[in-house]
Amino acid sequence: MALYPLGRWNNNTTKPYQKGATLEMGKKNAEKLTVLAAARWLADHGYLEKRSSGGNISLRIANQDAIAITPSGRSYFKMAVEDVCVVDLDGKPLG
């Protein structure tokens, strides 16, 4: 179950903090959105640098040998769901 600490979003939301943004949601996109929402919440609440990436945020995808992870060197507030990568446990990108 996805946790969205920044507020409520429906299944057509792509970017937390931007009302009206849309994206077709699949399971991997829901996990990517969770990672992005967590990264933005952490940055917004002073846990990470707001103007830069401050490190990677990741989530192990339940019932799969896969991880959703933010890219390095990108601002969390300029990052889109499409920028979050899904990789296997060996770091190989998954489709």
Side-chain angles (χ1 to χ4, degrees), residues 29 35-36 42 45 51 60 72-73 87 89 93:
N29 282 335
V35 169
L36 183 57
L42 289 166
H45 287 81
R51 288 173 281 173
R60 180 146 184 198
S72 298
V87 298
L89 299 182

Side-chain angles (χ1 to χ4, degrees), residues 12-95:
N12 291 325
T13 301
T14 183
K15 294 182 180 181
Y17 286 177
Q18 293 186 357
K19 294 181 181 178
T22 60
L23 172 74
E24 280 189 21
M25 295 291 287
K27 180 167 177 51
K28 287 182 184 169
N29 282 335
E31 305 296 355
K32 288 179 174 187
L33 180 60
T34 300
V35 169
L36 183 57
R40 289 180 179 176
W41 186 91
L42 289 166
D44 198 41
H45 287 81
Y47 293 98
L48 304 170
E49 178 66 39
K50 284 188 179 185
R51 288 173 281 173
S52 65
S53 68
N56 296 95
I57 304 297
S58 63
L59 167 75
R60 180 146 184 198
I61 299 174
N63 301 319
Q64 295 183 32
D65 288 335
I67 298 170
I69 187 167
T70 58
S72 298
R74 298 281 313 265
S75 166
Y76 295 124
F77 296 99
K78 293 180 181 177
M79 198 178 295
V81 172
E82 299 83 26
D83 297 324
V84 177
C85 304
V86 177
V87 298
D88 66 16
L89 299 182
D90 294 321
K92 295 177 187 170
L94 299 175

